[in-house]
Amino acid sequence: MKIVHISAECYPAAKAGGLADVAGSLPKYQKLLKHSTMVIMPHYYTNFRSKNEFKSVFEGIARLGSVDYDYHYQIFKLQNTELGFDLYSIDIPGLFDRENIYSYKDDTERFITFQIAALNWIKTFKKLPDIVHCHDQQTGLIPFFMTKVEAYDKLKEIPTVFTIHNGEYQGQFTFDRQYLLPGFNSYFSGQIEWHGFINPVAAAIKNAWSVTTVSPNYMDEIGFSMAGLEKLLQYEKGKSKGILNGIDTEVWDPSTDGMLQKTFSISTVEAGKKYNKKWLCKEFNLDPAKPLFTFIGRLVKEKGADLLPEAIYNMMSKYPGEQNVLILGSGDAPVQQALWDLEPQFKGNYCSYIGYNEKLSHIIYAGADFLLMPSRVEPCGLNQLYALRYGTVPIVRRTGGLTDTVTDIGDGGFGICHDQASAWDITHSIERAKSFFNKKKAFKENRKLIMQIDHSWNRAAEEYINLYKSLK
Ligand code: ADP
Ligand code: GLC
């Protein structure tokens, strides 16, 4: 099969979160199953771009709707073949010659143009794709364009799959900006509309041949709660499926991970984790003799990050000097500030690193004892899967993919779970974690056990292939 993935992010070229990890690994595992896979993404002006060699393979024009603004674009192919799939990035000067992936005022124009450019190129292929697989709202209009826009008539028989990685972000905009879209019969306007707006996620749910979410439990949850789209999801349930994400076990392998201070395998896990923990404790002024609780991620409500300052304060005041907490993340300014403000009070046991740091995240997965994920919404969550592979016990709120992947020690499992999104629940879980940490033998055995849980892409890559085949 010829599979084309279209995504705004793809690791290692550009990453803001888990979408990049998935777009940078699922295609590789599909290729291992002997399919031809490629990823099409925007060509951002990041370090990756300057450090890697690209070759121009196509030049074209993407007209932004009826505004008559023609963007000249080039398709670049990454020359390095180490990723395990073909990576193509679309260079659109004026829109993507910037450092960041999102959060510009013209994001709507940027991603509509990207989608148009991608389809204009695809329709010139000698062999058309067997599947076009779109990821998240930045590519949500593609299934509509392919089936309802005359200019893409040639593509209308190609099955499309739309994966919802995060339904909270829908990229909606008002109908007075419909002029940005390529021309289509106004009869089809309802196909892009939801609650009076043009909504790319709704458009994808309505027009894609199949809709997937990144865990089965999130699929069940969104029928009741997904930022206003519940009814639509219930209606389209018949073509929807939850497929649990995998992880790239080559990138995330503690025995070969070049970003670690010391690599380790199951037989050397104690010494390996101790070494990485020592390094972290030295770097961030923490106490290596005490359990290390960590959080890695976007400091936003969705992740429950706003609950952390209170939970940390309660824990640290109740049990002074008995545990360490290390935070790595960035996001909402008040949360960042509250996390900073805790530092002077709990020096020696608490530190927050506000920012994005891929290498540090790997060392934290390796050196931590516990990883906190008090998420309100978690479509899958990859952090807990990386933590498991690096022998770190996840402490999670039961939601979305966290419910699918973590079982509580009280239920014969290996992690710590709670139900409510509250500071109290987090502190209670930390208390339980500390008593687990003190049962040295059981804790060590658990480390070895969790490192062996198989979350590689092998199963899910095949599940996607079976889904594609069912659409042909
Ligand atoms: P989401 O995509 O919702 O942010 P996931 O759990 O799917 O959540 O994936 C998050 C990914 O981003 C993981 O690879 C995690 O290690 C990484 N990550 C998040 N925040 C940071 C950060 N501040 N520094 C380094 N890596 C981060
Ligand atoms: C999203 C979700 C996260 C998921 C990731 C990859 O960003 O928030 O839960 O793991 O996509 O699918």
Side-chain angles (χ1 to χ4, degrees):
M1 273 189 166
K2 181 169 179 171
I3 304 158
V4 173
H5 289 274
I6 310 182
S7 170
E9 300 178 29
C10 181
Y11 181 82
K15 169 166 169 178
L19 169 62
D21 291 357
V22 172
S25 53
L26 169 61
K28 163 172 156 184
Y29 284 80
Q30 290 179 329
K31 187 146 188 206
L32 291 172
L33 295 172
K34 308 266 180 270
H35 298 281
S36 137
T37 54
M38 63 160 81
V39 174
I40 304 178
M41 68 180 298
H43 195 70
Y44 306 102
Y45 282 31
T46 55
N47 275 343
F48 185 84
R49 167 188 168 267
S50 41
K51 288 193 180 137
N52 285 276
E53 206 187 315
F54 291 86
K55 187 176 161 204
S56 173
V57 294
F58 184 81
E59 279 185 37
I61 285 172
R63 169 163 296 182
L64 192 54
S66 49
V67 289
D68 265 4
Y69 196 93
D70 287 341
Y71 282 100
H72 289 256
Y73 69 91
Q74 274 191 75
I75 307 279
F76 284 118
K77 182 174 184 193
L78 178 68
Q79 293 304 286
N80 172 347
T81 53
E82 278 166 23
L83 297 187
F85 57 89
D86 293 333
L87 180 70
Y88 293 92
S89 55
I90 310 188
D91 186 24
I92 314 179
L95 293 177
F96 286 96
D97 44 348
R98 310 175 194 177
E99 242 177 72
N100 296 326
I101 303 175
Y102 314 115
S103 302
Y104 294 103
K105 271 201 280 195
D106 57 351
D107 276 355
T108 301
E109 285 83 349
R110 293 170 76 222
F111 286 101
I112 291 174
T113 313
F114 166 64
Q115 294 172 86
I116 293 170
L119 292 185
N120 286 358
W121 179 46
I122 292 174
K123 77 177 186 182
T124 69
F125 286 7
K126 267 198 200 114
K127 176 171 176 354
L128 291 176
D130 294 301
I131 285 286
V132 172
H133 190 153
C134 305
H135 300 265
D136 268 355
Q137 61 94 357
Q138 297 82 10
T139 61
L141 291 166
I142 285 178
F144 172 78
F145 291 168
M146 284 172 63
T147 48
K148 312 291 181 313
V149 170
E150 238 175 66
Y152 302 119
D153 238 17
K154 207 179 158 187
L155 308 178
K156 79 170 175 223
E157 300 300 330
I158 302 173
T160 49
V161 173
F162 180 70
T163 295
I164 303 173
H165 292 264
N166 195 332
E168 299 299 300
Y169 302 93
Q170 298 173 4
Q172 56 185 19
F173 52 100
T174 49
F175 261 94
D176 56 8
R177 301 172 82 200
Q178 185 182 325
Y179 64 84
L180 294 173
L181 306 180
F184 59 88
N185 191 327
S186 61
Y187 173 80
F188 293 124
S189 294
Q191 295 289 320
I192 49 173
E193 188 268 349
W194 195 252
H195 289 167
F197 289 88
I198 297 178
N199 183 318
V201 173
I205 297 169
K206 291 180 188 193
N207 290 280
W209 292 38
S210 174
V211 175
T212 68
T213 58
V214 288
S215 71
N217 189 46
Y218 183 61
M219 183 88 248
D220 293 341
E221 286 176 358
I222 57 181
F224 303 99
S225 161
M226 197 183 93
L229 291 185
E230 303 76 15
K231 284 263 157 18
L232 178 61
L233 286 153
Q234 285 168 20
Y235 184 72
E236 298 289 4
K237 212 171 171 192
K239 66 172 182 186
S240 309
K241 189 172 184 186
I243 299 180
L244 188 67
N245 278 339
I247 59 172
D248 188 329
T249 44
E250 282 175 0
V251 173
W252 295 93
D253 181 351
S255 67
T256 54
D257 189 335
M259 298 194 211
L260 301 189
Q261 293 303 314
K262 191 181 187 70
T263 55
F264 57 90
S265 61
I266 292 173
S267 58
T268 55
V269 55
E270 289 306 318
K273 283 188 77 70
K274 195 170 175 186
Y275 193 95
N276 285 289
K277 179 172 174 179
K278 251 193 168 164
W279 184 89
L280 288 169
C281 290
K282 189 154 181 257
E283 194 73 11
F284 296 102
N285 184 29
L286 304 168
D287 179 355
K290 300 292 177 317
L292 173 56
F293 292 85
T294 56
F295 172 93
I296 300 172
R298 296 180 288 119
L299 299 174
V300 296
K301 270 198 132 172
E302 207 186 307
K303 298 280 175 196
D306 55 311
L307 304 169
L308 288 173
E310 189 188 337
I312 294 166
Y313 178 84
N314 290 345
M315 207 58 212
M316 294 292 197
S317 325
K318 197 167 166 192
Y319 305 104
E322 286 190 17
Q323 63 281 305
N324 306 290
V325 178
L326 174 61
I327 308 281
L328 166 62
S330 61
D332 296 345
V335 179
Q336 294 187 170
Q337 189 60 48
L339 288 169
W340 263 322
D341 288 347
L342 290 171
E343 266 180 30
Q345 304 173 59
F346 304 116
K347 258 205 169 114
N349 291 110
Y350 170 79
C351 193
S352 57
Y353 178 111
I354 303 298
Y356 189 94
N357 189 324
E358 189 74 23
K359 180 168 195 255
L360 179 58
S361 77
H362 284 238
I363 304 172
I364 294 179
Y365 288 120
D369 297 301
F370 299 94
L371 179 86
L372 295 161
M373 293 186 78
S375 307
R376 286 193 175 78
V377 181
E378 197 62 81
C380 177
L382 298 174
N383 296 19
Q384 80 279 17
L385 306 182
Y386 299 144
L388 291 170
R389 187 141 164 87
Y390 284 62
T392 297
V393 177
I395 300 179
V396 309
R397 175 170 171 257
R398 285 191 190 92
T399 184
L402 296 175
T403 308
D404 286 330
T405 53
V406 183
T407 317
D408 192 89
I409 43 171
D411 299 324
F414 47 82
I416 306 229
C417 307
H418 56 258
D419 288 305
Q420 303 304 320
S422 73
W424 190 89
D425 269 49
I426 301 173
T427 23
H428 182 63
S429 282
I430 296 180
E431 283 174 339
R432 290 184 62 215
K434 280 168 59 180
S435 76
F436 185 34
F437 182 80
N438 289 329
K439 292 178 188 136
K440 296 278 178 238
K441 191 162 172 272
F443 190 74
K444 283 182 184 173
E445 274 167 17
N446 190 59
R447 269 185 174 158
K448 293 196 166 139
L449 181 120
I450 58 182
M451 286 179 76
Q452 295 175 66
I453 301 176
D454 181 7
H455 278 293
S456 75
W457 270 109
N458 297 332
R459 169 201 48 80
E462 189 129 30
E463 236 182 294
Y464 276 109
I465 299 289
N466 290 338
L467 171 69
Y468 302 160
K469 284 183 180 158
S470 74
L471 304 174
K472 289 296 284 177

